[in-house]
Amino acid sequence: MTYRADVLIIGAGASGGVAARHLAEHGFDVVCLEQGDWPDRSAFPGARPDWELAIRKDWAMSPNVRSRPEDYPVVHDDSDIEPLMYNAVGGSMIIYAGTWPRMLPSDFRVRTMDGVADDWPIAYSDLVPYYNAIDQQIGVSGLAGDPAYPPHDDYPLPPLPLGAAGRRVAEGHNRLGWHWWPEPNAILSAPYDGRRPCVQRGVCTSGCAEGAKASTDLTHWPKATAAGARLITGARVSRITMDPRGLATGAVWLDRSGVEHHQEADVVILAANAIGTARLLLLSADDRHCPDGLANSSGLVGRRLMMHPFSVVTGWWDDQVEGWQGHFGASITSYQFYETDPDRGFVRGAKWALSPVGGPLNHILPMRAGNEVWGPDHHELMGRTFGRGASWAIFGEDLPEESNRVDLDPERTDSHGIPAPRVSYRISDHSRRLMAFQEARAEESLRASRCRETAVASMIPYSGWHLMGTARMGNDSASSVVNTRQQAHDVPNLYIADASVFVTSSGVNPTCTITALALRTADLLVQHRSEQKVPA
Amino acid sequence: MTTPTSPAPTADIDIHRLTALADVMLPAAHGMPAVSDVKAVESYLPQVLGWRKDLHQPLVRAVDALDPSLFTIDRLSALHEEDEDAYVALTTAVAACYYLSPVVRELIGYPGQAAKTYDPFAYTEWVAEGLLDPVVDRGPIWREVPG
């Protein structure tokens, strides 16, 4: 007899983990299909001597470079930014930096405030209770009172150390009269919920072996499974199945051996990131009901892909600041140039986060700012810069454009023969103006912080961590894919919990908002369970 | 996935030839030793290629393609144009071997990505000192929005 769950979640990352825990703790019978495995922290490379070699291959952020069996290729020949992700329980939280900013009130009212893009159909105030709850679940380290934000609940843990570089740049901003604040991080500054605190090793983006950096394999899945949720790893979904009434009935999935299974459910939640979710909706096209893809009567599935343009501005001091050390994560942040100033020639802005620079290989084979230098000058360069720098990591707001999109590649497939997603994406002229302004201001910041020299790595292609917008939220089914509950307009028992639903991108790291939205979606599903349409 | 691995065999790589190339890339200068001075290639190449097996064949190509007696930094740049994988393998392997040397690490002051302890409540000192006061005193910078 076929087993039918109350809820099937596809993807065990940030949004899937949060939704699974909440639903299971409220009595739902939850099954989750995850194409990756449970992360093995003993295999994380950060404390090993080969760390800087590993992050260029087996621990690369690009699934195309890693090429593990659980990864699927992302075709990006026609994209200015390379999409980055990680497939495992915990998802891309395994390799994210762990910075934990909320979006701002103006981020939800971009059309009203600045005359571009669209307003969200929900407001900042709708998310505040969920931001507060998620901060507690995750264990966020930070300091309340940041004047860049409306007042909100304090964080559960004190802020992580400023470090020598953070202190110097904070003083530099005080000299300039510019904003700075200790960055809130989803990284523990003290023991919390059975987890150990950060040890400042500076390797956050290749997995936190300490377990100090939050990811849902630590923060949510143990509680979800304790509450009865069932998590199946090595399970790659090929399509969502439908009944004649237009309701989702579950999903077809392939195990590691390629054997096909079908998981039935009353409700399906997609939580596979803005590329994976769009891919699955397009793969689930049905000649009779949805020839252009599931939930795609608006034609917007896969369109409006947003990836923050990302620049790094590095400054170097005359003396050592142990620039390889610290959380990565960020020590301090600045919103000085976040909100719109029309005199700048563009609208919206960017968030800055001050980060370590990495070890010796990252200096001589730079993935960010700097050049390769060989011969006698190599040693002069290393002597002048190594351990003496810090970087402003700058995320600019990316406005949505329908031409930036995900579709299915006609040739390439994953290891199961399922068509790979293809990304077509261009950084706009508006973004280029915005980023050029921010880069120049960041150099001013570092000079005011007494740096001897600075370098800019402008709009780095290898930076597509933040994937958003391919199934936008809205009230009108003709111009959006999901409603304010993140329920598909076309399929009332299909929900999308990940950043596909973002209407605009903001200029902040999205995981905090992704998880707050996922918690809200799960909470509304609980509240409205009695009226939920389900298959017969 | 990378895990602690055994050293890889390097019999098909001419270690002396690679070391000669590496000494051009990282010669003795500015108080730092050359690659051969710290025996970086012979000491660490098997381990580096054990960790990064994907570098092996392109490295063989790079060593075969470059004549140490004629090798210059300009020739290295030309390799980048001719065979990018070979260039990446050569530069990555040479740099990794060199910076694994304890002598080199000591000279640049790099102990590796070490664990550190700290007082999570030390922030109260710089808050009390007034470091944030100018930021707070300027007041809110977020924009009120309708709705």
Side-chain angles (χ1 to χ4, degrees):
Chain A
M1 186 172 159
T2 306
Y3 165 67
R4 178 161 154 179
D6 292 338
V7 177
L8 168 62
I9 298 175
I10 299 171
S15 59
V18 168
R21 173 178 163 184
H22 190 79
L23 292 168
E25 288 179 342
H26 286 79
F28 282 70
D29 177 20
V30 175
V31 170
C32 179
L33 301 173
E34 165 56 50
Q35 63 197 320
D37 292 309
W38 282 92
D40 174 5
R41 285 194 152 62
S42 69
F44 287 7
R48 300 202 313 254
D50 66 319
W51 167 61
E52 288 195 286
L53 288 170
I55 61 177
R56 287 168 164 77
K57 179 59 182 168
D58 291 343
W59 278 89
M61 295 176 175
S62 165
N64 297 7
V65 176
R66 282 194 311 271
S67 295
R68 295 184 191 169
E70 64 269 29
D71 291 318
Y72 56 86
V74 179
V75 180
H76 61 88
D77 304 337
D78 193 29
S79 176
D80 290 337
I81 296 178
E82 179 171 356
L84 307 172
M85 65 180 72
Y86 195 82
N87 296 304
V89 180
S92 297
M93 294 180 88
I94 302 298
I95 57 164
Y96 78 149
T99 54
W100 203 253
R102 302 176 177 199
M103 284 170 55
L104 283 147
S106 74
D107 292 327
F108 296 86
R109 293 289 177 271
V110 175
R111 166 61 67 177
T112 299
M113 300 296 288
D114 298 313
V116 295
D118 304 280
D119 289 347
W120 289 54
I122 60 173
Y124 173 81
S125 56
D126 293 314
L127 274 189
V128 166
Y130 299 101
Y131 278 137
N132 290 338
I134 275 291
D135 285 354
Q136 298 294 324
Q137 292 180 8
I138 288 286
V140 178
S141 301
L143 187 65
D146 184 350
Y149 281 86
H152 62 70
D153 286 5
D154 201 354
Y155 299 104
L157 293 167
L160 285 157
L162 290 185
R167 170 86 195 206
R168 290 178 189 198
V169 178
E171 290 170 350
H173 276 220
N174 283 351
R175 281 190 282 275
L176 289 166
W178 287 5
H179 173 266
W180 71 275
W181 201 259
E183 175 86 88
N185 287 284
I187 300 171
L188 304 181
S189 58
Y192 187 81
D193 197 21
R195 293 160 50 213
R196 295 192 298 272
C198 172
V199 295
Q200 299 281 284
R201 203 186 293 276
V203 299
C204 311
T205 52
S206 47
C208 177
E210 301 297 324
K213 187 185 73 173
S215 48
T216 55
D217 60 304
L218 296 169
T219 55
H220 287 76
W221 278 108
K223 292 180 171 68
T225 53
R230 197 158 64 96
L231 173 55
I232 304 173
T233 58
R236 174 168 280 155
V237 174
S238 60
R239 65 190 160 88
I240 296 159
T241 51
M242 300 288 291
D243 74 6
R245 293 195 302 149
L247 292 170
T249 56
V252 174
W253 61 278
L254 301 160
D255 65 24
R256 292 184 182 90
S257 306
V259 176
E260 192 171 280
H261 306 262
H262 184 240
Q263 176 61 54
E264 291 187 12
D266 285 347
V267 168
V268 175
I269 298 179
L270 279 164
N273 84 43
I275 289 178
T277 285
R279 178 196 188 203
L280 266 178
L281 291 171
L282 296 171
L283 285 169
S284 303
D286 166 340
D287 285 343
R288 209 152 45 106
H289 297 106
C290 48
D292 299 322
L294 186 60
N296 197 22
S297 63
S298 65
L300 287 173
V301 167
R303 294 193 179 271
R304 296 169 60 102
L305 172 68
M306 293 172 281
M307 295 189 281
H308 288 136
F310 177 69
S311 296
V312 171
V313 179
T314 300
W316 292 277
W317 289 277
D318 283 324
D319 56 336
Q320 278 282 343
V321 290
E322 294 191 330
W324 60 83
Q325 201 87 34
H327 48 285
F328 198 129
S331 53
I332 67 170
T333 184
S334 178
Y335 289 79
Q336 182 64 33
F337 304 104
Y338 190 87
E339 300 281 9
T340 295
D341 178 346
D343 291 341
R344 295 176 192 148
F346 57 86
V347 295
R348 312 302 298 160
K351 176 229 174 195
W352 303 1
L354 194 73
S355 303
V357 182
L361 290 199
N362 199 45
H363 276 68
I364 55 178
L365 305 170
M367 296 195 288
R368 292 187 169 183
N371 297 308
E372 290 185 29
V373 176
W374 300 101
D377 291 346
H378 170 91
H379 298 304
E380 191 277 330
L381 175 74
M382 281 293 279
R384 204 173 76 230
T385 62
F386 183 67
R388 297 164 190 253
S391 293
W392 275 124
I394 302 171
F395 289 110
E397 177 155 352
D398 182 21
L399 297 173
E401 297 181 53
E402 290 190 12
S403 56
N404 288 336
R405 65 180 298 196
V406 178
D407 64 2
L408 300 177
D409 191 80
E411 294 173 4
R412 292 194 64 183
T413 65
D414 63 26
S415 56
H416 286 95
I418 303 169
R422 177 176 63 181
V423 170
S424 306
Y425 178 90
R426 290 286 169 252
I427 296 174
S428 69
D429 289 341
H430 180 269
S431 287
R432 291 180 190 281
R433 291 197 302 277
L434 184 156
M435 294 305 285
F437 172 88
Q438 303 285 340
E439 291 159 8
R441 298 295 81 69
E443 287 197 280
E444 281 181 46
S445 152
L446 294 170
R447 284 196 293 269
S449 306
R450 313 283 196 244
C451 283
R452 176 183 16 84
E453 59 184 301
T454 61
V456 177
S458 182
M459 288 172 281
I460 300 168
Y462 192 76
S463 66
W465 302 279
H466 302 165
L467 309 169
M468 300 164 281
T470 56
R472 65 156 290 191
M473 182 193 296
N475 290 317
D476 179 3
S477 62
S479 59
S480 59
V481 178
V482 298
N483 63 21
T484 57
R485 291 170 52 194
Q486 299 177 218
Q487 176 185 35
H489 291 299
D490 299 350
V491 185
N493 67 334
L494 176 68
Y495 292 77
I496 298 176
D498 59 44
S500 305
V501 306
F502 278 35
V503 179
T504 53
S505 69
S506 82
V508 305
N509 316 59
T511 311
C512 173
T513 298
I514 291 170
T515 53
L517 283 167
L519 184 59
R520 179 176 177 273
T521 292
D523 191 40
L524 292 172
L525 193 53
V526 171
Q527 290 180 35
H528 294 273
R529 64 192 303 175
S530 62
E531 63 206 59
Q532 176 64 55
K533 286 185 182 173
V534 300
Chain B
M1 179 181 298
T2 297
T3 51
T5 51
S6 304
T10 56
D12 56 344
I13 298 173
D14 184 335
I15 297 296
H16 295 296
R17 190 177 170 99
L18 175 57
T19 300
L21 297 171
D23 271 352
V24 174
M25 297 164 67
L26 298 174
H30 298 282
M32 294 297 291
V35 171
S36 59
D37 293 336
V38 293
K39 298 182 169 37
V41 171
E42 57 261 54
S43 299
Y44 300 110
L45 185 66
Q47 188 60 70
V48 166
L49 295 182
W51 288 324
R52 286 288 304 273
K53 295 178 175 59
D54 60 300
L55 297 178
H56 198 127
Q57 286 311 313
L59 181 62
V60 170
R61 285 207 307 277
V63 174
D64 287 349
L66 301 171
D67 179 347
S69 65
L70 302 173
F71 187 54
T72 63
I73 299 306
D74 286 344
R75 180 69 188 92
L76 180 66
S77 302
L79 179 68
H80 198 174
E81 300 298 316
E82 296 162 10
D83 184 345
E84 185 175 359
D85 288 348
Y87 171 86
V88 169
L90 176 64
T91 53
T92 303
V94 167
C97 289
Y98 188 69
Y99 286 102
L100 279 169
S101 160
V103 173
V104 171
R105 287 186 170 216
E106 176 75 21
L107 285 167
I108 65 171
Y110 179 60
Q113 302 299 129
K116 295 201 166 187
T117 56
Y118 53 88
D119 174 7
F121 295 98
Y123 79 97
T124 56
E125 293 169 16
W126 53 258
V127 169
E129 177 194 326
L131 192 62
L132 272 171
D133 290 355
V135 184
V136 174
D137 290 347
R138 284 192 295 275
I141 62 171
W142 59 279
R143 287 191 292 170
E144 295 269 8
V145 301

